[in-house]
Amino acid sequence: MEALHKTFITPIARDDIHRLISRMDDIMDYVETAADQWSLYKLGQGGTEVKEMARVLVEATEQLEQAVRGLRDMMLLA
């Protein structure tokens, strides 16, 4: 957030960047809460549904990483 406020010109509106960062933080909070509860209640390995959800989360994270890298490259070119 500090870097966002120090940057004079961005190719993307600051509000959009802030909203993206906030949503990413929300998702991480949800994942952390789910992991904490999973551990607290000692739910073990989980079934195929849990493994599929974990696979989807990993895939989404990888795609998000690529998108953020693309934003970084775009901002460097601006």
Side-chain angles (χ1 to χ4, degrees):
M1 295 308 293
E2 228 175 275
L4 174 62
H5 293 296
K6 288 181 181 178
T7 302
F8 182 68
I9 298 173
T10 64
I12 301 171
R14 287 189 170 125
D15 290 343
D16 292 337
I17 295 170
H18 184 268
R19 192 170 26 256
L20 173 63
I21 292 169
S22 294
R23 296 303 178 261
M24 289 170 56
D25 185 59
D26 291 346
I27 292 167
M28 289 305 303
D29 289 344
Y30 295 140
V31 170
E32 184 177 17
T33 297
D36 288 346
Q37 290 179 352
W38 192 272
S39 177
L40 177 67
Y41 294 112
K42 298 180 171 104
L43 297 176
Q45 299 250 337
T48 56
E49 294 87 1
V50 172
K51 291 176 184 174
E52 178 64 12
M53 286 192 308
R55 186 195 65 73
V56 168
L57 180 59
V58 168
E59 184 178 326
T61 302
E62 291 169 349
Q63 290 180 10
L64 182 60
E65 178 186 19
Q66 289 177 359
V68 170
R69 286 182 192 275
L71 287 173
R72 183 182 310 147
D73 294 343
M74 186 175 82
M75 291 177 82
L76 290 174
L77 295 173

